[in-house]
Structure formats: C-alpha cells, structure tokens
C-alpha cells in the first residue's frame, strides 16, 4: 500500500527540522577535538606557544628569532626546523642541486653523422602534389 500525501509531507517536515537542529553531540565533540588538535599542531618547546597546522616553516623560524635569545637553535624550539635554511625558505636551491646532477648524466652528445643522415632522410621526402585535389 502506498504512502498518502500527508505521510510524505510529514516525513519531509521531519527531515527539514532535523537539518535545522544542527549537529549531533558526537559530531560536535569530533569537530571540537579536531579544532583543538589543529590549533596546537606546532608547539614551541621553550615557551609552549602553539601554532596552527597551516603555519609554514618561515613563520616558525621568525618566532625563534624574534621571541627567543640570539643564538637559540631553531631545532631546540621546533624539531621540524632541523634542516630548514632561512636563506632558502621554499627549498628551491636544495631541489635544483639534487635534480641537476641526474640531468647532466642523461645528456648525450649528438654525432654529426647522425645529424646528416636525419637531414638527408627529411630532404628526400620533400613536398609533393596532394592527391585528390585539382
């Protein structure tokens, strides 16, 4: 037996009201836990200041330089700064030196004989009349 129109309207109203009610207790607790975990993703080991999960390495390095005494090792505050280079914050120099070595190995010298053979093969084909056009 099919549902009557009033039953369908009541069911749709219940679904609308459930959406208006918002998140359940479990959903709120999970969201709160995730937010607190993200808010304290990076913590300075000396002063216990926390940084969000999206904080970049230059921001952490700036904290060490500005908030702590001169000569403080950045790795003593944040273990993530162990290999950080303040002169190359994006790490571009490190990747270019690593990628340039394999590229030098892959290069091959071109032989003049091979070049002349390729040119001869290309020149012999030439342009001819297209078939099918008058």
């Amino acid at each position: 037996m099919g549902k009557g129109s009033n039953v369908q309207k009541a069911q749709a109203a219940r679904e609308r009201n459930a959406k208006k009610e918002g998140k359940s207790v479990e959903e709120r607790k999970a969201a709160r836990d995730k937010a607190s975990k993200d808010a304290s993703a990076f913590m300075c080991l000396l002063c216990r200041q926390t940084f969000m999960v999206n904080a970049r390495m230059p921001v952490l390095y700036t904290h060490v330089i500005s908030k702590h005494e001169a000569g403080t090792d950045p790795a003593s505050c944040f273990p993530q700064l162990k290999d950080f280079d303040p002169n190359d914050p994006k790490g571009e120099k490190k990747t270019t030196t690593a990628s340039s070595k394999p590229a030098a190995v892959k290069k091959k010298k071109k032989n003049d004989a091979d070049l002349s053979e390729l040119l001869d093969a290309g020149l012999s084909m030439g342009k001819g009349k297209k078939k099918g056009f008058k």
Side-chain angles (χ1 to χ4, degrees), residues 13-127:
R14 278 193 294 275
E15 289 175 4
R16 268 196 315 272
N17 291 336
K19 287 181 183 177
K20 288 180 186 177
E21 190 176 305
K23 296 180 179 179
S24 68
V25 176
E26 295 85 17
E27 290 173 332
R28 280 190 226 115
K29 183 179 178 186
R32 184 181 66 232
D33 291 343
K34 183 181 182 302
S36 65
K37 185 179 177 185
D38 287 349
S40 63
F42 297 110
M43 184 186 305
C44 178
L45 299 177
L46 297 179
C47 65
R48 297 292 195 209
Q49 182 175 350
T50 59
F51 292 87
M52 292 288 290
V53 70
N54 59 352
R56 305 264 183 211
M57 295 300 139
V59 173
L60 301 178
Y61 183 78
T62 304
H63 165 79
V64 174
I65 298 302
S66 63
K67 300 289 182 189
H68 298 294
E69 296 177 8
T72 304
D73 182 30
S76 66
C77 291
F78 300 101
Q80 296 85 359
L81 292 177
K82 185 177 79 169
D83 295 328
F84 178 73
D85 182 13
N87 297 325
D88 183 28
K90 293 185 180 179
E92 294 170 349
K93 293 178 185 174
K94 187 184 239 185
T95 57
T96 56
T97 57
S99 64
S100 65
K101 291 178 183 176
V105 173
K106 291 181 182 178
K107 289 183 180 179
K108 293 182 180 179
K109 282 191 171 182
K110 296 181 180 178
N111 294 336
D112 292 334
D114 293 338
L115 256 171
S116 62
E117 288 176 13
L118 288 172
L119 287 173
D120 290 341
L123 291 175
S124 64
M125 295 184 74
K127 288 188 175 181

